[in-house]
């Protein structure tokens, strides 16, 4: 079994037993949790307990994508990766700072 197959097996094992009868709302939440994935490992941050740098880089990589393509929909995956590793307090603050023009990271001119 290759590495990808092992990872898929582990993920599928979590949801292998179907839950008991669920209401439509519960089923929707179950499907949302089942589909949720965190940002993939990044070789630049192997073994780091503090993921602050990983968060900062993911957020700025999303901004670089926006700056180079001007396509918000095309960069949505990168935005989601940033949001999954960053505390919402930080990403909300950075979004606010970008709106005010005082964000210290990548500047995306609109």
């Amino acid at each position: 079994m290759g590495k990808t197959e092992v990872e898929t097996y582990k993920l599928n094992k979590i949801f292998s037993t179907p839950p008991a009868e669920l209401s439509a709302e519960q089923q929707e939440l179950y499907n949302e949790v089942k589909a949720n994935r965190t940002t993939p490992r990044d070789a630049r941050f192997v073994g780091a307990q503090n993921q602050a740098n990983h968060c900062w880089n993911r957020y700025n990589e999303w901004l670089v994508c926006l700056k180079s393509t001007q396509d918000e929909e095309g960069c949505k995956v990168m935005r989601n990766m940033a949001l999954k590793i960053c505390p919402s307090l930080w990403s909300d603050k950075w979004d606010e700072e970008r709106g005010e023009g005082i964000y210290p990271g990548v500047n995306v001119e609109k």
Side-chain angles (χ1 to χ4, degrees), residues 8-67:
T8 301
Y9 171 76
K10 287 179 181 178
L11 287 174
N12 289 338
K13 189 174 178 184
I14 294 170
F15 296 103
S16 61
T17 307
E21 300 265 338
L22 299 175
S23 68
E25 182 181 350
Q26 290 172 326
Q27 185 65 44
E28 185 178 328
L29 289 172
Y30 174 79
N31 291 338
E32 187 176 320
V33 168
K34 188 175 177 179
N36 192 21
R37 301 287 185 261
T38 190
T39 186
R41 286 192 175 271
D42 190 323
R44 298 172 292 180
F45 309 104
V46 174
Q49 292 297 316
N50 183 345
Q51 291 292 304
N53 287 335
H54 192 178
C55 162
W56 175 259
N57 280 356
R58 287 286 185 195
Y59 190 87
N60 282 285
E61 286 168 352
W62 165 65
L63 293 176
V64 168
C65 177
L66 278 180
K67 187 174 187 172

